[in-house]
Amino acid sequence: MRIDNEMKLEFLSKSQNESFARSVVAAFIAQLDPTIDELADVKTAVSEAVTNAIIHGYECQNGHVTIVSKIMGRTVEIEIKDYGKGIENIDLARQPLYTSKPELERSGMGFTVMETFMDNVEVDSQPGMGTTIRLIKTFKSM
Amino acid sequence: MNVGFDFINNKLLIRIDGDIDHHTCDEIRSRIDNEIMRRNPKNIIFDMKNVNFMDSSGIGVIIGRYKLIIDKGGLAAMINVKPPIKRVYDICGLKKIIPIYENENQAIQKI
């Protein structure tokens, strides 16, 4: 599919960058004139993926998170990448209520929220190499 | 991030102002827990009027406070929940444990 627009963002894995990251992505996709609900869905899904990179990928140590977002027609693809710990068992990580850090009072609903709010969620991960989460959503026609 | 409190009829109203995400949840959690310890309320009511964003980190905080209060024999409720917050609330199954009421008066009467 033809890429109509693309942006790349890179930031340190600090929790204060979570709102920055989701706001930047929301500002980028605003050119597609999504509904308020669609915009809120994407912001929430991005927040979940970035939070996962910070808490699980880097276990709250410093590292870099990159976001590449592409617009293709009415479809937006957002790739959130870390170079951290990686996920041993992706199927388990995607289970509702599963958390590898129960001591942190996590809800274990991050992937479920991403899957519900986006049309498609793809996860590539290798232990020791990092994780890439690809979020895809097509906005309804204007 | 600001968290305000009111104490009415042995119920603690928790007025959260701002986004609830992983970055803000530690502060929100400790402010609420300190207030629960200090006041020892029977029930808690989350006023979400000034919350425009919440992700699953926020759900973790809400469920954690819910557990605190039911362990003491109390109940939790939410008021003034905006549509994006309601979507996350629904997906995470919170409606089974924390009812939403239209407004403060209704919540105070019901729980």
Side-chain angles (χ1 to χ4, degrees):
Chain A
M1 208 178 198
R2 189 171 58 90
I3 296 168
D4 296 317
N5 203 355
E6 183 172 348
M7 73 92 176
K8 184 174 180 182
L9 177 71
E10 183 164 353
F11 53 90
L12 211 53
S13 57
K14 299 221 171 259
S15 65
Q16 54 267 49
N17 287 332
E18 290 157 4
S19 67
F20 166 69
R22 62 180 179 256
S23 301
V24 169
V25 174
F28 179 66
I29 63 171
Q31 61 194 281
L32 290 179
D33 203 15
T35 64
I36 292 169
D37 284 348
E38 286 170 336
L39 201 59
D41 287 355
V42 172
K43 276 178 83 170
T44 311
V46 168
S47 194
E48 299 294 352
V50 171
T51 301
N52 276 358
I54 293 171
I55 296 180
H56 300 289
Y58 291 116
E59 299 192 297
C60 299
Q61 303 297 306
N62 279 348
H64 282 248
V65 180
T66 60
I67 298 182
V68 175
S69 182
K70 293 172 187 161
I71 289 172
M72 295 157 288
R74 302 277 304 153
T75 299
V76 62
E77 185 187 292
I78 305 148
E79 214 173 71
I80 296 111
K81 190 177 182 70
D82 71 64
Y83 306 88
K85 192 181 154 193
I87 303 170
E88 291 277 352
N89 185 337
I90 294 172
D91 288 339
L92 181 63
R94 292 179 81 144
Q95 291 295 313
L97 301 173
Y98 173 78
T99 176
S100 58
K101 300 194 185 301
E103 73 281 6
L104 292 184
E105 213 176 57
R106 309 292 310 161
S107 68
M109 294 300 281
F111 272 115
T112 305
V113 168
M114 286 185 249
E115 285 163 359
T116 308
F117 285 173
M118 304 300 287
D119 297 338
N120 198 16
V121 178
E122 295 167 11
V123 185
D124 294 325
S125 188
Q126 280 194 339
M129 301 292 283
T131 299
T132 302
I133 296 178
R134 200 168 300 107
L135 306 169
I136 299 158
K137 191 176 181 79
T138 301
F139 298 130
K140 291 187 185 74
S141 293
M142 282 175 284
Chain B
M1 171 51 57
N2 186 31
V3 187
F5 299 96
D6 280 307
F7 199 65
I8 304 169
N9 297 345
N10 209 14
K11 288 152 203 178
L12 184 67
L13 272 111
I14 303 163
R15 304 191 200 276
I16 302 168
D17 187 348
D19 291 357
I20 313 179
D21 63 8
H22 162 240
H23 178 63
T24 58
C25 71
D26 281 349
E27 188 187 339
I28 296 171
R29 180 186 296 117
S30 73
R31 303 242 339 234
I32 297 174
D33 288 359
N34 284 342
E35 200 68 11
I36 289 176
M37 207 135 64
R38 196 167 76 86
R39 299 271 203 173
N40 194 26
K42 171 89 171 75
N43 299 332
I44 54 173
I45 299 165
F46 296 96
D47 183 353
M48 308 295 275
K49 191 169 103 186
N50 294 317
V51 178
N52 292 309
F53 179 88
M54 181 174 78
D55 62 16
S56 73
S57 298
I59 296 293
V61 175
I62 302 275
I63 292 177
R65 311 298 60 72
Y66 162 79
K67 285 181 180 164
L68 261 185
I69 212 75
I70 58 155
D71 281 351
K72 290 144 62 76
L75 295 167
M78 271 184 171
I79 55 171
N80 302 319
V81 181
K82 293 179 179 173
I85 314 300
K86 175 74 165 45
R87 294 253 289 147
V88 179
Y89 166 98
D90 286 339
I91 291 162
C92 296
L94 247 59
K95 75 174 144 195
K96 290 180 193 153
I97 55 173
I98 304 173
I100 290 178
Y101 296 108
E102 282 291 303
N103 55 48
E104 194 172 312
N105 287 342
Q106 205 184 75
I108 289 170
Q109 278 172 17
K110 295 275 186 184
I111 72 161

